[in-house]
Amino acid sequence: MRRQDKALAERAAIDRIIREAPYCHLACSLDDRPYLIPISFGYDGQTVYVHTAPEGRKIDIFQANPRVCLAFVSQSELVRHPRRACKWSYAYTSALAEGRIQEISGPEEKLAALNLIMVQYSGREWDFKDSDLSGMRVWKIPLERVSGKTSPPPGGQLPSPGG
């Protein structure tokens, strides 16, 4: 990371960014063609979980090249400057993670992963019908590398999420 003054060294701070992010961007690549999508996710502190439709472009890419990168932004605020365009910026907290995506096929692990996703957004676990489970694919991404970064606004702190 070029700007070490913005780096977050504490894993707990990085985990907090991941947990507070409303969604993540998942990047993958095949034959030198990048592909990036916003996606909902669940997180258990070590692994990110996502679900997809039964088929599609990203699945073709996952199967050919399982290396993925995830980007999370939990807070952001535009920083304006009244007189200089080059002084405009963003204040933010963000995290990047890398790993290898793997499909989950066992019904118990699939249900647990889906509930981690639901807990991320609803704060509780849900019951799923067999027909719900059969209509989607579920994936896990054990995180191999993580980093975090923060850039508070001049002279201040970012507002807390949701407030």
Side-chain angles (χ1 to χ4, degrees):
M1 181 180 301
R2 185 180 64 81
R3 294 285 310 263
Q4 289 300 318
D5 60 315
K6 296 180 184 260
L8 295 171
E10 302 274 332
R11 178 62 187 255
I14 295 168
D15 286 344
R16 188 170 40 257
I17 292 167
I18 294 171
R19 291 186 196 291
E20 292 175 354
Y23 57 91
C24 70
H25 284 94
L26 185 148
C28 50
S29 178
L30 183 61
D31 299 327
D32 289 332
R33 296 199 59 191
Y35 189 65
L36 177 73
I37 55 168
I39 195 165
S40 57
F41 69 97
Y43 182 57
D44 69 3
Q46 299 296 318
T47 301
V48 170
Y49 299 89
V50 299
H51 67 87
T52 66
E55 55 189 48
R57 181 175 176 190
K58 63 185 160 292
I59 294 170
D60 296 340
I61 296 171
F62 296 163
Q63 291 172 334
N65 178 11
R67 303 261 338 131
V68 298
C69 183
L70 300 160
F72 306 87
V73 177
S74 65
Q75 300 174 57
S76 68
E77 176 185 309
L78 181 62
V79 177
R80 297 170 172 88
H81 192 278
R83 292 176 299 284
R84 294 199 50 210
C86 291
K87 293 289 184 178
W88 283 54
S89 173
Y90 262 93
Y92 60 87
T93 58
S94 66
L96 287 177
E98 296 176 29
R100 293 179 187 273
I101 195 162
Q102 306 163 23
E103 186 166 11
I104 297 171
S105 55
E108 289 176 15
E109 189 180 5
K110 197 173 179 180
L111 181 60
L114 287 170
N115 266 309
L116 280 168
I117 296 168
M118 291 308 300
V119 166
Q120 177 79 15
Y121 296 96
S122 70
R124 70 177 184 92
E125 292 189 358
W126 293 74
D127 292 322
F128 291 90
K129 298 176 186 171
D130 288 339
S131 60
D132 295 332
L133 297 177
S134 65
M136 70 178 80
R137 293 171 84 169
V138 181
W139 308 81
K140 64 182 176 180
I141 307 159
L143 302 184
E144 297 169 3
R145 295 179 54 186
V146 295
S147 62
K149 196 172 174 182
T150 187
S151 182
Q157 295 273 335
L158 285 162
S160 61

